């Protein structure tokens, strides 16, 4: 009985998904989707810059070259001893690695929050647009153009603010 109910729910959801994909995607929905993609890209850029700064401005690791030395020796005690890696450098390197390892989950959580927020996009709109761009290469190209235009506009605004 439980399997039958689950099967029924599955086919109901598939029907709703098919119905949602039959509706045309509006320019407004596409713009909202593009906005989420740009916001996510900006978040990734900010986190990447934060990681870069963690490496370059770390008081225990003397810049990127030393970071690369530690990275090359990491996990091999003989190489770590040969490179004279200190306990402070080990701790600093591990902190950078921990941050780096958390980035993917952080980005996933950030994007999920944007998608679930109905004022920004909404899960229904996300599913509708995502399904449509997979089926329609022209719509995907239009989305890509919207994303590039929005990024170019933001870059121009940043450049103008910097003057």
């Amino acid at each position: 009985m439980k399997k039958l109910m689950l099967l029924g729910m599955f086919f109901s959801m598939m029907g709703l998904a098919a119905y949602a994909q039959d509706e045309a995607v509006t320019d407004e929905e596409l713009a909202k989707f593009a906005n989420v993609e740009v916001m996510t890209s900006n978040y990734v850029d900010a986190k990447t810059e934060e990681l870069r700064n963690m490496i370059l401005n770390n008081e225990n690791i003397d810049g990127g070259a030393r970071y690369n030395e530690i990275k090359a020796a990491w996990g091999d005690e003989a190489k770590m001893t040969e490179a004279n890696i200190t306990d402070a450098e080990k701790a600093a390197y591990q902190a950078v690695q921990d941050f780096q390892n958390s980035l993917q989950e952080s980005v996933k959580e950030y994007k999920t929050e944007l998608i679930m927020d109905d004022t920004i996009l909404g899960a229904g709109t996300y599913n509708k647009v995502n399904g449509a761009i997979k089926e329609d290469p022209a719509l995907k190209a239009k989305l890509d153009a919207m994303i590039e235009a929005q990024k170019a506009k933001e870059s121009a605004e940043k450049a103008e603010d910097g003057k």
Side-chain angles (χ1 to χ4, degrees):
M1 183 66 153
K2 190 174 182 180
K3 288 181 183 178
L4 184 60
M5 286 187 64
L6 287 173
L7 193 60
M9 286 175 38
F10 173 75
F11 283 116
S12 297
M13 295 303 281
M14 293 301 289
L16 288 174
Y19 173 75
Q21 288 182 1
D22 287 342
E23 295 179 40
V25 172
T26 66
D27 285 346
E28 180 184 354
E29 291 168 327
L30 207 57
K32 285 182 170 185
F33 194 96
N35 185 50
V36 166
E37 294 300 314
V38 171
M39 290 173 73
T40 302
S41 177
N42 291 343
Y43 182 80
V44 168
D45 291 346
K47 289 297 183 180
T48 301
E49 184 63 23
E50 189 177 338
L51 177 64
R52 185 179 166 278
N53 286 330
M54 281 180 78
I55 294 168
L56 296 179
N57 300 323
N58 192 302
E59 62 186 39
N60 295 313
I61 299 175
D62 190 23
R66 181 62 175 163
Y67 174 84
N68 287 334
E69 282 181 61
I70 297 168
K71 182 178 180 180
W74 196 254
D76 184 331
E77 285 302 320
K79 287 182 181 179
M80 290 175 73
T81 302
E82 182 180 322
N84 297 319
I85 299 172
T86 66
D87 288 341
E89 287 175 323
K90 288 178 186 178
Y93 181 83
Q94 187 60 57
V96 170
Q97 291 305 297
D98 292 345
F99 180 79
Q100 191 172 18
N101 292 337
S102 73
L103 285 180
Q104 185 174 0
E105 187 61 31
S106 174
V107 170
K108 181 179 167 185
E109 288 173 8
Y110 178 77
K111 187 171 183 178
T112 299
E113 287 175 16
L114 295 177
I115 291 168
M116 299 307 287
D117 186 336
D118 288 333
T119 61
I120 297 174
L121 182 61
T125 302
Y126 174 83
N127 290 334
K128 178 181 175 182
V129 174
N130 195 45
I133 61 174
K134 288 178 181 176
E135 299 294 322
D136 185 352
L139 191 62
K140 172 72 168 116
K142 185 175 181 179
L143 172 66
D144 291 343
M146 290 174 97
I147 291 169
E148 290 306 312
Q150 188 172 341
K151 285 182 177 181
K153 181 181 175 189
E154 285 182 7
S155 292
E157 288 171 357
K158 284 181 185 176
E160 192 171 297
D161 288 345
K163 289 182 179 177

